[in-house]
Amino acid sequence: MREQAQTAKFRRACISLIARFGAIGLLKYFTLSEAEKAAIAMRKIKRTASPNPTTTFAIPLVGSHQVSEWAVIEETLSKTLTALIAQSNPNWRVVICSQNRPDATSLDPRVQHIEFNTKVDGHDKIAKLAVLTKYCLRDHAKAGFFMPLDGDDLLHRDYVAKLHSDPKNGFLICGGFIVDYKNARIGQTQNKSLRSPFQKPFWKFCGSCMALPVGMDQERETAFFQGLANHEHRLYPYLAKLAGFSLVKLIQPSALYFINHGENFETRRGRGGFKQRFVQRFEVTDPATLSKASEDFSGLNMILTPRKADL
């Protein structure tokens, strides 16, 4: 299963404007994707904030038969889970979907695993996300937030607390870090500005970039997130706004994305070189910034430790 290509910007702008002003009848003149249809259906939901939110992180994990070094997958996943265990707000859960049960699932009782046993030709991440959304949003739903999370990304220690401080809105990560694992370099992402015209926000690099409030309509929410999974993350803000969500843009570094560890999906596809070049261009060398990042992202200091697979 492949992600659908980005739709034209002008077309998206027209659809967004029509939906914003409530002229839904005019959308019959457009051929809408399943995700766009699901997003428009979400606008009918009466949204209320959960008084006791739980944030659910859904991790579609690659299978051991799809990688050359399963030990690398285990170690990067351990970093991801370590950062969650260190969250200042403990009201979260993680559900991992993969063919194999990782040893890292034993790190915390809030970590669950569901087996993926569907045969898929080629890339199966989208199929796993479909299983995860059904499990997390319909079969075992918890009101709060839902966020797809890759098994090699770290979140700021106050990330869950930030979400729960404003449970009515969605959150989009603009500020973050990209770590070139092999070369031990850290680059910073932020919104483009006059001072940094070649910068890019985190959400343009990584799918672990958006959390939305859930718990108001299980069927519509499941359909929306399943549709969202069919598109690349560059379309997440468009689809979230089309669904009627207000997005709080997180400007301060809120997530960290590991690249070049040997088992990234894009590396296996022979892509990802531009991200390494971005890290070189916007490398963080200031000791104070690096020290603060190590404090905020539990597990980041593990990058300086030799991988077990290399020993």
Side-chain angles (χ1 to χ4, degrees):
M1 301 176 70
R2 293 184 178 180
E3 294 173 336
Q4 296 175 18
Q6 289 196 53
T7 53
K9 289 184 178 180
F10 178 72
R11 174 187 173 279
R12 297 199 306 268
C14 290
I15 292 173
S16 298
L17 194 62
I18 290 170
R20 180 180 176 184
F21 287 100
I24 302 300
L26 294 177
L27 293 177
K28 66 182 179 181
Y29 298 106
F30 294 84
T31 301
L32 301 178
S33 70
E34 291 303 313
E36 288 170 328
K37 292 176 184 176
I40 291 165
M42 287 281 287
R43 299 181 75 89
K44 300 176 183 178
I45 298 175
K46 183 178 180 181
R47 295 195 172 96
T48 56
S50 172
N52 298 297
T54 296
T55 293
T56 298
F57 298 103
I59 299 180
L61 193 68
V62 66
S64 61
H65 67 289
Q66 298 168 310
V67 299
S68 57
E69 289 187 274
W70 180 249
V72 174
I73 301 301
E74 284 275 11
E75 291 191 28
T76 53
L77 178 63
S78 293
K79 292 179 176 66
T80 298
L81 297 179
T82 297
L84 291 178
I85 293 167
Q87 288 291 307
S88 59
N89 186 315
N91 296 322
W92 56 266
R93 63 170 176 166
V94 176
V95 183
I96 301 169
C97 180
S98 66
Q99 290 88 343
N100 314 92
R101 186 183 190 91
D103 294 339
T105 56
S106 63
L107 290 174
D108 193 278
R110 290 167 291 183
V111 180
Q112 302 171 247
H113 175 265
I114 53 177
E115 185 178 357
F116 183 79
N117 49 26
T118 303
K119 182 175 176 55
V120 177
D121 292 330
H123 186 38
D124 60 11
K125 181 177 181 179
I126 295 173
K128 287 173 179 173
L129 281 170
V131 172
L132 283 164
T133 53
K134 180 177 178 294
Y135 180 93
C136 298
L137 298 177
R138 193 174 71 184
D139 299 342
H140 302 274
K142 288 190 177 183
F145 287 86
F146 181 77
M147 177 175 174
L149 179 67
D150 289 336
D152 53 2
D153 300 334
L154 309 186
L155 295 173
H156 189 285
R157 60 182 176 177
D158 293 326
Y159 183 74
V160 173
K162 183 67 175 177
L163 301 185
H164 293 190
S165 70
D166 189 4
K168 281 189 176 181
N169 290 315
F171 288 81
L172 182 68
I173 299 177
C174 298
F177 296 107
I178 302 177
V179 175
D180 183 338
Y181 190 61
K182 184 177 180 180
N183 296 310
R185 288 193 176 117
I186 301 176
Q188 187 165 358
T189 73
Q190 55 188 238
N191 286 335
K192 185 188 300 185
S193 66
L194 291 176
R195 280 189 171 186
S196 299
F198 299 107
Q199 260 287 2
K200 291 183 180 180
F202 187 84
W203 59 266
K204 288 193 174 183
F205 288 101
C206 180
S208 304
C209 62
M210 188 173 73
L212 297 177
V214 295
M216 290 144 281
D217 190 313
Q218 294 177 6
E219 293 299 327
R220 285 190 174 121
E221 289 165 353
T222 300
F224 172 70
F225 276 99
Q226 287 183 338
L228 193 73
N230 284 298
H231 293 272
E232 64 169 13
H233 46 84
R234 286 171 174 261
L235 286 183
Y236 284 8
Y238 159 68
L239 290 168
K241 291 177 182 177
L242 187 61
F245 290 105
S246 296
L247 290 178
V248 176
K249 294 182 178 180
L250 298 176
I251 305 302
Q252 296 301 315
S254 301
L256 186 150
Y257 174 27
F258 283 104
I259 63 169
N260 200 23
H261 56 61
E263 296 297 352
N264 292 93
F265 173 60
E266 289 195 346
T267 301
R268 297 197 302 274
R269 291 195 298 177
R271 298 171 56 187
F274 77 96
K275 294 181 181 179
Q276 293 180 47
R277 293 190 293 274
F278 180 90
V279 171
Q280 288 180 320
R281 184 169 196 169
F282 295 102
E283 184 175 3
V284 178
T285 57
D286 175 56
T289 303
L290 292 172
S291 177
K292 183 70 164 59
S294 295
E295 292 177 8
D296 292 339
F297 296 90
S298 180
L300 175 58
N301 59 336
M302 295 166 69
I303 190 174
L304 303 176
T305 304
R307 296 184 299 126
K308 294 176 184 176
D310 291 336
L311 299 177

